[in-house]
Amino acid sequence: MKVRINGEERVFDAPMSVEALLRQLGIDPRKVAVERNLEIVPKSTYDAVTVGDGDRLEVVHFIGGGSGEHFMEDDFFEVAGRKFHSRLLVGTGKYKDFEETARAIEASGAEIVTVAVRRVNLTDPSQPMLVDYVSPKKYTFLPNTAGCYTADDAVRTLRLAREAGGWDLVKLEVLGDQKTLYPNMPETLKAAEALIQDGFKVMVYCSDDPIQAKTLEQMGCVAIMPLGSLIGSGLGIVNPINVRLIKESVAVPVLVDAGVGTASDAAVAMELGCDGVLMNTAIAQAKDPIKMARAMKLAIEAGRLAYQAGRMPRKLYADPSSPLAGLI
């Protein structure tokens, strides 16, 4: 008998139940839904409903997301031997509460979340903690040194983080001043050297300087994270040329860190060829953080696809899209 399944014609020796057909196809009946001749077959009747010659079946299953596009599944970046499919990294600060934090991270599709190391509230140690809402079993926690202005403070902070959670993949940032939050590169280099010698795998926030980026890579940093613009400013990528030069000059992943304000900024970073983007304020301080998290996820994917596709060349003059032959 001939049966059309999901648009393809298949030939079988004889009529059989829906359950028998699924098992012959190597499909677990518990994990799918079946439509036979435009009518849904209840799971409880799979062994009783017979599939005969000429029947049309649709067999479907649940996947993550909406349309089921597979073009991003084989696309990943690798840091310190670990593969990540989401190129959006998100912070966990500035949200109104931990519940909103968790919902936004879920909407973003991020796999890596940055976490600051702070003292436990001894006055009320029973207060909820981030890990009560965002599980390190589900996400890769990336301890950072936010708020550190010296190499010694940064190294001490990350050693405490490793003791607390066992993490050796960390994000280093050593700030220069409170007004700009620009990286203090001499202190950053000093801290990076000490951390690498101590066995840490260092992802490093740095200036958009290709020479400094190359130096950090040669020292052994596992990812370079140049700022797009001032932390928390939302100014976007103010120096795309240097970001592109950094990407071309180092072999480790390059992730834009800081300054993204909206989805188009994230897309620009990805169109430059960056491996990912880290953001916090752009999502947390949006009027609707959950919607913005979703927007950023889509922007990262769109920018990545545009980079892979290769944009059309820029031209000084117009070039008509419609052919001139046969013009009336």
Side-chain angles (χ1 to χ4, degrees), residues 281-320:
T281 308
I283 297 176
Q285 297 296 286
K287 292 181 179 179
D288 188 329
I290 313 306
K291 285 185 178 179
M292 185 60 79
R294 175 65 175 162
M296 291 299 187
K297 176 180 185 294
L298 296 173
I300 292 289
E301 293 177 0
R304 177 63 179 172
L305 284 174
Y307 171 73
Q308 291 176 323
R311 65 159 292 143
M312 62 167 284
R314 291 181 172 89
K315 301 174 184 178
L316 294 176
Y317 305 100
D319 184 8

Tab-separated table of all heavy atoms in Angstrom, residues 281-320:
chain	number	residue	atom	x	y	z
A	281	THR	N	22.135	46.430	30.622
A	281	THR	CA	21.252	47.578	30.754
A	281	THR	C	20.234	47.673	29.629
A	281	THR	O	19.074	48.039	29.861
A	281	THR	CB	22.083	48.875	30.805
A	281	THR	OG1	23.088	48.751	31.815
A	281	THR	CG2	21.211	50.074	31.129
A	282	ALA	N	20.646	47.362	28.411
A	282	ALA	CA	19.741	47.485	27.265
A	282	ALA	C	18.476	46.667	27.448
A	282	ALA	O	17.398	47.049	26.975
A	282	ALA	CB	20.459	47.063	25.983
A	283	ILE	N	18.586	45.545	28.129
A	283	ILE	CA	17.413	44.704	28.389
A	283	ILE	C	16.765	45.098	29.708
A	283	ILE	O	15.560	45.354	29.781
A	283	ILE	CB	17.805	43.210	28.408
A	283	ILE	CG1	18.326	42.772	27.037
A	283	ILE	CG2	16.616	42.354	28.820
A	283	ILE	CD1	18.833	41.342	26.990
A	284	ALA	N	17.559	45.185	30.762
A	284	ALA	CA	17.011	45.403	32.099
A	284	ALA	C	16.312	46.749	32.248
A	284	ALA	O	15.343	46.876	32.996
A	284	ALA	CB	18.122	45.273	33.142
A	285	GLN	N	16.793	47.779	31.542
A	285	GLN	CA	16.222	49.109	31.676
A	285	GLN	C	15.242	49.465	30.555
A	285	GLN	O	14.781	50.610	30.470
A	285	GLN	CB	17.337	50.145	31.733
A	285	GLN	CG	18.251	49.981	32.945
A	285	GLN	CD	17.520	50.208	34.251
A	285	GLN	OE1	17.208	51.345	34.597
A	285	GLN	NE2	17.255	49.148	34.995
A	286	ALA	N	14.926	48.504	29.708
A	286	ALA	CA	13.889	48.736	28.696
A	286	ALA	C	12.535	48.850	29.378
A	286	ALA	O	12.338	48.353	30.492
A	286	ALA	CB	13.883	47.591	27.687
A	287	LYS	N	11.567	49.498	28.723
A	287	LYS	CA	10.232	49.614	29.309
A	287	LYS	C	9.596	48.238	29.493
A	287	LYS	O	8.839	48.014	30.432
A	287	LYS	CB	9.358	50.507	28.431
A	287	LYS	CG	9.807	51.966	28.423
A	287	LYS	CD	8.900	52.825	27.564
A	287	LYS	CE	9.355	54.279	27.584
A	287	LYS	NZ	8.502	55.140	26.723
A	288	ASP	N	9.914	47.329	28.585
A	288	ASP	CA	9.454	45.946	28.707
A	288	ASP	C	10.658	45.035	28.521
A	288	ASP	O	10.999	44.663	27.397
A	288	ASP	CB	8.383	45.634	27.660
A	288	ASP	CG	7.721	44.270	27.867
A	288	ASP	OD1	8.403	43.358	28.380
A	288	ASP	OD2	6.545	44.114	27.503
A	289	PRO	N	11.351	44.675	29.608
A	289	PRO	CA	12.569	43.871	29.495
A	289	PRO	C	12.358	42.529	28.804
A	289	PRO	O	13.258	42.053	28.103
A	289	PRO	CB	13.000	43.680	30.953
A	289	PRO	CG	12.411	44.845	31.668
A	289	PRO	CD	11.091	45.079	31.001
A	290	ILE	N	11.200	41.925	28.976
A	290	ILE	CA	10.976	40.605	28.391
A	290	ILE	C	10.911	40.712	26.863
A	290	ILE	O	11.523	39.922	26.145
A	290	ILE	CB	9.679	39.970	28.940
A	290	ILE	CG1	9.622	40.095	30.471
A	290	ILE	CG2	9.593	38.519	28.503
A	290	ILE	CD1	10.818	39.562	31.206
A	291	LYS	N	10.172	41.704	26.381
A	291	LYS	CA	10.102	41.911	24.929
A	291	LYS	C	11.455	42.304	24.356
A	291	LYS	O	11.844	41.863	23.275
A	291	LYS	CB	9.058	42.978	24.597
A	291	LYS	CG	7.618	42.512	24.728
A	291	LYS	CD	6.650	43.595	24.268
A	291	LYS	CE	5.210	43.093	24.349
A	291	LYS	NZ	4.242	44.133	23.930
A	292	MET	N	12.189	43.146	25.087
A	292	MET	CA	13.501	43.555	24.588
A	292	MET	C	14.465	42.377	24.558
A	292	MET	O	15.288	42.264	23.640
A	292	MET	CB	14.075	44.681	25.450
A	292	MET	CG	15.392	45.243	24.924
A	292	MET	SD	15.262	45.937	23.239
A	292	MET	CE	14.524	47.530	23.610
A	293	ALA	N	14.379	41.494	25.525
A	293	ALA	CA	15.231	40.301	25.519
A	293	ALA	C	14.975	39.468	24.274
A	293	ALA	O	15.905	38.971	23.627
A	293	ALA	CB	14.985	39.474	26.776
A	294	ARG	N	13.701	39.319	23.931
A	294	ARG	CA	13.338	38.584	22.719
A	294	ARG	C	13.844	39.298	21.473
A	294	ARG	O	14.361	38.673	20.543
A	294	ARG	CB	11.811	38.422	22.684
A	294	ARG	CG	11.260	37.782	21.427
A	294	ARG	CD	11.704	36.351	21.271
A	294	ARG	NE	11.066	35.737	20.115
A	294	ARG	CZ	11.491	34.633	19.527
A	294	ARG	NH1	12.569	34.010	19.988
A	294	ARG	NH2	10.854	34.132	18.487
A	295	ALA	N	13.720	40.638	21.466
A	295	ALA	CA	14.203	41.424	20.326
A	295	ALA	C	15.708	41.257	20.139
A	295	ALA	O	16.207	41.128	19.019
A	295	ALA	CB	13.855	42.896	20.518
A	296	MET	N	16.442	41.260	21.252
A	296	MET	CA	17.894	41.104	21.176
A	296	MET	C	18.271	39.720	20.651
A	296	MET	O	19.226	39.577	19.873
A	296	MET	CB	18.517	41.341	22.547
A	296	MET	CG	18.434	42.776	23.026
A	296	MET	SD	19.301	43.921	21.913
A	296	MET	CE	19.176	45.445	22.878
A	297	LYS	N	17.542	38.721	21.066
A	297	LYS	CA	17.796	37.366	20.570
A	297	LYS	C	17.660	37.322	19.048
A	297	LYS	O	18.519	36.776	18.337
A	297	LYS	CB	16.822	36.384	21.218
A	297	LYS	CG	16.921	34.942	20.710
A	297	LYS	CD	15.899	34.061	21.420
A	297	LYS	CE	16.049	32.594	21.017
A	297	LYS	NZ	15.737	32.355	19.601
A	298	LEU	N	16.587	37.906	18.541
A	298	LEU	CA	16.348	37.901	17.095
A	298	LEU	C	17.381	38.759	16.362
A	298	LEU	O	17.818	38.413	15.260
A	298	LEU	CB	14.935	38.410	16.803
A	298	LEU	CG	13.800	37.531	17.343
A	298	LEU	CD1	12.462	38.214	17.145
A	298	LEU	CD2	13.807	36.161	16.672
A	299	ALA	N	17.782	39.873	16.974
A	299	ALA	CA	18.775	40.747	16.347
A	299	ALA	C	20.128	40.060	16.220
A	299	ALA	O	20.819	40.196	15.202
A	299	ALA	CB	18.912	42.037	17.157
A	300	ILE	N	20.505	39.325	17.259
A	300	ILE	CA	21.768	38.588	17.215
A	300	ILE	C	21.737	37.562	16.088
A	300	ILE	O	22.690	37.421	15.308
A	300	ILE	CB	22.021	37.887	18.567
A	300	ILE	CG1	22.288	38.918	19.672
A	300	ILE	CG2	23.177	36.897	18.457
A	300	ILE	CD1	23.611	39.630	19.580
A	301	GLU	N	20.623	36.846	15.971
A	301	GLU	CA	20.501	35.834	14.924
A	301	GLU	C	20.499	36.484	13.537
A	301	GLU	O	21.141	35.981	12.609
A	301	GLU	CB	19.233	35.019	15.139
A	301	GLU	CG	19.272	34.164	16.398
A	301	GLU	CD	17.976	33.406	16.633
A	301	GLU	OE1	17.054	33.546	15.810
A	301	GLU	OE2	17.888	32.667	17.636
A	302	ALA	N	19.775	37.595	13.390
A	302	ALA	CA	19.714	38.276	12.095
A	302	ALA	C	21.080	38.820	11.697
A	302	ALA	O	21.511	38.685	10.542
A	302	ALA	CB	18.688	39.406	12.148
A	303	GLY	N	21.781	39.443	12.644
A	303	GLY	CA	23.103	39.982	12.349
A	303	GLY	C	24.095	38.903	11.974
A	303	GLY	O	24.917	39.076	11.067
A	304	ARG	N	24.016	37.783	12.658
A	304	ARG	CA	24.909	36.666	12.355
A	304	ARG	C	24.651	36.119	10.952
A	304	ARG	O	25.578	35.871	10.180
A	304	ARG	CB	24.722	35.559	13.399
A	304	ARG	CG	25.548	34.306	13.163
A	304	ARG	CD	27.026	34.568	13.232
A	304	ARG	NE	27.798	33.346	13.036
A	304	ARG	CZ	29.120	33.306	12.902
A	304	ARG	NH1	29.825	34.430	12.962
A	304	ARG	NH2	29.745	32.157	12.731
A	305	LEU	N	23.365	35.952	10.624
A	305	LEU	CA	23.015	35.448	9.292
A	305	LEU	C	23.443	36.428	8.207
A	305	LEU	O	23.913	36.021	7.133
A	305	LEU	CB	21.511	35.188	9.207
A	305	LEU	CG	21.013	33.926	9.909
A	305	LEU	CD1	19.496	33.871	9.879
A	305	LEU	CD2	21.584	32.674	9.241
A	306	ALA	N	23.281	37.730	8.466
A	306	ALA	CA	23.686	38.737	7.479
A	306	ALA	C	25.191	38.689	7.251
A	306	ALA	O	25.668	38.808	6.108
A	306	ALA	CB	23.260	40.120	7.953
A	307	TYR	N	25.947	38.502	8.349
A	307	TYR	CA	27.407	38.393	8.214
A	307	TYR	C	27.788	37.162	7.401
A	307	TYR	O	28.646	37.222	6.515
A	307	TYR	CB	28.050	38.335	9.592
A	307	TYR	CG	29.519	38.012	9.562
A	307	TYR	CD1	30.444	38.946	9.131
A	307	TYR	CD2	29.984	36.747	9.945
A	307	TYR	CE1	31.803	38.649	9.090
A	307	TYR	CE2	31.331	36.445	9.915
A	307	TYR	CZ	32.231	37.392	9.486
A	307	TYR	OH	33.567	37.090	9.435
A	308	GLN	N	27.143	36.049	7.696
A	308	GLN	CA	27.440	34.821	6.958
A	308	GLN	C	27.037	34.928	5.492
A	308	GLN	O	27.711	34.380	4.618
A	308	GLN	CB	26.716	33.642	7.615
A	308	GLN	CG	27.260	33.256	8.973
A	308	GLN	CD	26.456	32.154	9.631
A	308	GLN	OE1	25.228	32.100	9.518
A	308	GLN	NE2	27.125	31.254	10.331
A	309	ALA	N	25.934	35.634	5.234
A	309	ALA	CA	25.460	35.768	3.853
A	309	ALA	C	26.373	36.662	3.032
A	309	ALA	O	26.563	36.433	1.833
A	309	ALA	CB	24.030	36.324	3.851
A	310	GLY	N	26.943	37.674	3.642
A	310	GLY	CA	27.792	38.610	2.919
A	310	GLY	C	26.954	39.705	2.271
A	310	GLY	O	26.154	39.422	1.374
A	311	ARG	N	27.127	40.928	2.726
A	311	ARG	CA	26.298	42.014	2.226
A	311	ARG	C	26.670	42.382	0.789
A	311	ARG	O	27.772	42.113	0.312
A	311	ARG	CB	26.392	43.248	3.120
A	311	ARG	CG	27.773	43.918	3.177
A	311	ARG	CD	27.654	45.369	3.644
A	311	ARG	NE	26.977	46.170	2.643
A	311	ARG	CZ	26.128	47.152	2.913
A	311	ARG	NH1	25.842	47.444	4.156
A	311	ARG	NH2	25.569	47.834	1.942
A	312	MET	N	25.739	43.020	0.099
A	312	MET	CA	26.001	43.526	-1.244
A	312	MET	C	27.061	44.630	-1.178
A	312	MET	O	27.229	45.281	-0.146
A	312	MET	CB	24.721	44.098	-1.851
A	312	MET	CG	24.150	45.281	-1.092
A	312	MET	SD	22.885	46.176	-2.009
A	312	MET	CE	23.901	47.078	-3.173
A	313	PRO	N	27.809	44.838	-2.251
A	313	PRO	CA	28.809	45.909	-2.239
A	313	PRO	C	28.153	47.291	-2.220
A	313	PRO	O	27.086	47.487	-2.809
A	313	PRO	CB	29.589	45.681	-3.535
A	313	PRO	CG	28.646	44.940	-4.425
A	313	PRO	CD	27.829	44.076	-3.523
A	314	ARG	N	28.781	48.225	-1.539
A	314	ARG	CA	28.314	49.609	-1.573
A	314	ARG	C	28.689	50.248	-2.909
A	314	ARG	O	29.770	49.992	-3.435
A	314	ARG	CB	28.921	50.406	-0.421
A	314	ARG	CG	28.393	49.994	0.948
A	314	ARG	CD	29.022	50.857	2.040
A	314	ARG	NE	28.395	50.627	3.344
A	314	ARG	CZ	28.771	49.726	4.204
A	314	ARG	NH1	29.792	48.922	3.913
A	314	ARG	NH2	28.163	49.585	5.363
A	315	LYS	N	27.809	51.070	-3.413
A	315	LYS	CA	28.049	51.722	-4.703
A	315	LYS	C	27.795	53.216	-4.584
A	315	LYS	O	26.995	53.665	-3.762
A	315	LYS	CB	27.124	51.125	-5.769
A	315	LYS	CG	27.298	49.623	-5.964
A	315	LYS	CD	26.258	49.061	-6.925
A	315	LYS	CE	26.387	47.548	-7.040
A	315	LYS	NZ	25.354	46.967	-7.935
A	316	LEU	N	28.465	53.996	-5.423
A	316	LEU	CA	28.302	55.442	-5.397
A	316	LEU	C	27.074	55.902	-6.175
A	316	LEU	O	26.583	57.009	-5.980
A	316	LEU	CB	29.545	56.124	-5.966
A	316	LEU	CG	30.838	55.949	-5.144
A	316	LEU	CD1	32.005	56.599	-5.868
A	316	LEU	CD2	30.672	56.543	-3.750
A	317	TYR	N	26.580	55.044	-7.089
A	317	TYR	CA	25.462	55.433	-7.941
A	317	TYR	C	24.385	54.358	-7.914
A	317	TYR	O	24.617	53.224	-7.524
A	317	TYR	CB	25.936	55.677	-9.381
A	317	TYR	CG	27.050	56.687	-9.467
A	317	TYR	CD1	28.377	56.273	-9.597
A	317	TYR	CD2	26.780	58.054	-9.374
A	317	TYR	CE1	29.409	57.197	-9.652
A	317	TYR	CE2	27.806	58.985	-9.429
A	317	TYR	CZ	29.107	58.555	-9.575
A	317	TYR	OH	30.137	59.476	-9.631
A	318	ALA	N	23.220	54.748	-8.390
A	318	ALA	CA	22.092	53.823	-8.392
A	318	ALA	C	22.298	52.695	-9.381
A	318	ALA	O	22.978	52.833	-10.403
A	318	ALA	CB	20.805	54.582	-8.748
A	319	ASP	N	21.703	51.571	-9.082
A	319	ASP	CA	21.760	50.391	-9.956
A	319	ASP	C	20.356	49.779	-9.948
A	319	ASP	O	19.932	49.203	-8.953
A	319	ASP	CB	22.770	49.387	-9.404
A	319	ASP	CG	22.942	48.175	-10.323
A	319	ASP	OD1	22.397	48.182	-11.436
A	319	ASP	OD2	23.625	47.223	-9.887
A	320	PRO	N	19.580	49.917	-11.058
A	320	PRO	CA	18.187	49.486	-11.056
A	320	PRO	C	18.046	47.987	-10.815
A	320	PRO	O	18.827	47.186	-11.294
A	320	PRO	CB	17.680	49.867	-12.443
A	320	PRO	CG	18.906	49.935	-13.285
A	320	PRO	CD	19.989	50.430	-12.381
